[in-house]
Amino acid sequence: MVQPCPAKIGDTLDDVVTPALIVDLDAYERNLGTMAALVERAGLRLRPHAKTHKSPEIALAQMARGAVGACCQKLSEAEILAQGGVGDILIANQVVGAVKAVRAATLAQRVRLALCVDHPRNVEELSTAARTLEASIDVLVEIDVGNRRCGLPPGGSAVALAERVAAAPGLRFLGLQAYHGGAQHIRDFRERRAAVRQAAEQTLRTVEALEAAGLDCETVTGGGTGTLLHDIEAGALNELQAGSYVFMDADYGRNLAEDGTAETRFESALFVLATVMSHPNPQRAVLDAGLKALAMDSGPPLLKGVPGATYTRASDEHGVLDLERENLLAHGQRVLLIPGHCDPTVNLYDWYVGVRRGRVEQVWPVAARGALA
């Protein structure tokens, strides 16, 4: 069941039931504006990744600022975005199996839908479903440019699969998916740029090979928040999929700018509000936010505005803080935590609580929470 909303419009942070997912609306809106201006100057298309926020409301806010649509990772996410009014969706992933192919073709009857392939069998499944339902699906061939996950090697094998897509009834060859996820978290600026340039070279060679085979690459999509400036500079992509910029998290905050300082182009806008539920001694406090409130795959959260307090240990429902001095926190005090990884943290909640200057101004459902299929 959907959990009751932890807050109502007009509440203060002290009124919000914790743990709760908080959006600083001012920082969030500045992030939207910063990205929109940057992409417009670069002359590129922005298709923000909705796996970060799982929210049609946020996707539509991004589109109102110039984004061409949304991308997501799962078919179920795409279905929920479509229900919420998003009409142009890329599933930046493979949709495999006859049952899902029919769902994809059904969705393509309502919205412009694109998805990725890297295997001939998947092309056949999608074509059969699209032909049966008289739908049209845009298809990108995914190439592996260093992520070592999905995707064919750049070059000839990608061209051969693209030719199969172009010849398949119900499908339209759209271009390439060329995403290097590992590069997003290379901390050093120059190393990160080098990884992106190498990926861009492989992508451009594949585009040239496709053109030589008579196939036009209308869309070359990929990139992310961590490599944003490098993706623009490299010139291989005409569509950017950055998503985490809208919220940021502690992990992306560890990426360095060219001068060796922390990258601060985008602000932390997403927090978990927690309460000090126990304060057994002056050196330790315990929060009501543990593993079921925060994703820990990219490390523990950071505390906003409480220097000297470190989140050191999590169990299911408890988060332990080490305190450098006495009287740093009080029993019952509220604290804001910057998640280590925003995407899976969002997936733990049913509601966003949007706050401006200490007051709740918006509440939005995390509509695609748990949308795994």
Side-chain angles (χ1 to χ4, degrees):
M1 67 178 267
V2 175
Q3 296 299 307
C5 186
K8 63 183 185 297
I9 306 301
D11 281 351
T12 69
L13 284 178
D14 285 339
D15 300 320
V16 178
V17 178
T18 64
L21 196 62
I22 303 294
V23 177
D24 178 333
L25 293 173
D26 287 329
Y28 156 76
E29 289 167 3
R30 285 192 293 269
N31 287 344
L32 292 179
T34 297
M35 176 62 87
L38 195 157
V39 173
E40 183 179 12
R41 285 196 302 271
L44 300 176
R45 300 194 301 265
L46 176 65
R47 184 180 293 278
H49 220 311
K51 73 180 177 68
T52 296
H53 54 70
K54 291 179 168 282
S55 164
E57 285 87 354
I58 295 175
L60 291 172
Q62 292 168 317
M63 293 173 69
R65 289 164 174 83
V68 297
C71 65
C72 56
Q73 285 295 90
K74 294 301 183 84
L75 177 58
S76 51
E77 288 179 332
E79 290 165 335
I80 291 167
L81 289 174
Q83 290 169 10
V86 180
D88 192 326
I89 303 169
L90 163 64
I91 303 174
N93 203 356
Q94 282 67 33
V95 175
V96 174
V99 173
K100 288 185 179 180
V102 169
R103 282 172 54 194
T106 302
L107 181 60
Q109 294 174 323
R110 299 166 44 207
V111 301
R112 183 181 181 189
L113 180 69
L115 43 76
C116 299
V117 298
D118 64 2
H119 197 281
R121 179 178 177 181
N122 196 194
V123 174
E124 293 171 8
E125 291 170 337
L126 295 169
S127 177
T128 298
R131 187 173 65 251
T132 300
L133 293 176
E134 299 182 344
S136 177
I137 302 174
D138 288 344
V139 175
L140 297 147
V141 171
E142 181 163 6
I143 57 174
D144 180 3
V145 292
N147 205 35
R148 299 180 64 190
R149 196 170 61 187
C150 297
L152 291 168
S157 57
V159 173
L161 189 62
E163 290 174 330
R164 293 185 73 131
V165 172
L171 306 184
R172 185 174 82 94
F173 174 67
L174 183 63
L176 293 177
Q177 157 100 347
Y179 175 64
H180 191 345
Q184 306 302 318
H185 308 282
I186 298 173
R187 303 307 177 197
D188 181 80
F189 181 91
R190 291 172 181 80
E191 292 178 12
R192 195 164 63 249
R193 179 168 60 188
V196 170
R197 285 179 174 177
Q198 184 177 41
E201 290 170 2
Q202 296 177 73
T203 303
L204 289 169
R205 285 200 304 271
T206 306
V207 170
E208 291 171 359
L210 287 163
E211 291 174 346
L215 293 170
D216 178 48
C217 261
E218 177 183 323
T219 295
V220 185
T221 185
T225 298
T227 59
L228 180 64
L229 297 181
H230 307 305
D231 292 322
I232 293 171
E233 175 191 62
L237 306 175
N238 60 19
E239 184 175 277
L240 300 173
Q241 296 178 5
S244 295
Y245 78 91
V246 73
F247 291 149
M248 296 303 287
D249 53 34
D251 187 68
Y252 271 122
R254 299 183 184 103
N255 281 5
L256 301 179
E258 190 168 13
D259 63 2
T261 61
E263 175 63 64
T264 58
R265 186 174 305 274
F266 300 105
E267 307 172 46
S268 295
L270 184 80
F271 305 91
V272 170
L273 181 68
T275 300
V276 177
M277 61 184 294
S278 176
H279 204 332
N281 65 55
Q283 287 75 44
R284 186 170 75 247
V286 183
L287 303 178
D288 60 353
L291 295 171
K292 293 182 181 179
L294 292 149
M296 297 288 178
D297 58 302
S298 295
L302 303 177
L303 276 81
K304 176 178 170 63
V306 191
T310 304
Y311 193 112
T312 57
R313 181 162 48 93
S315 52
D316 283 356
E317 307 291 358
H318 300 82
V320 178
L321 306 181
D322 285 355
L323 309 178
E324 292 182 359
R325 61 183 186 277
E326 295 185 23
N327 302 318
L328 187 59
L329 292 171
H331 187 277
Q333 184 173 336
R334 302 300 182 88
V335 298
L336 289 169
L337 303 170
I338 304 171
H341 190 178
C342 55
D343 300 17
T345 295
V346 166
N347 197 48
L348 298 170
Y349 290 86
D350 287 300
W351 297 95
Y352 289 110
V353 178
V355 174
R356 199 185 309 273
R357 291 183 287 279
R359 290 274 178 183
V360 176
E361 186 177 294
Q362 299 280 349
V363 289
W364 304 318
V366 184
R369 177 190 179 184
L372 303 179

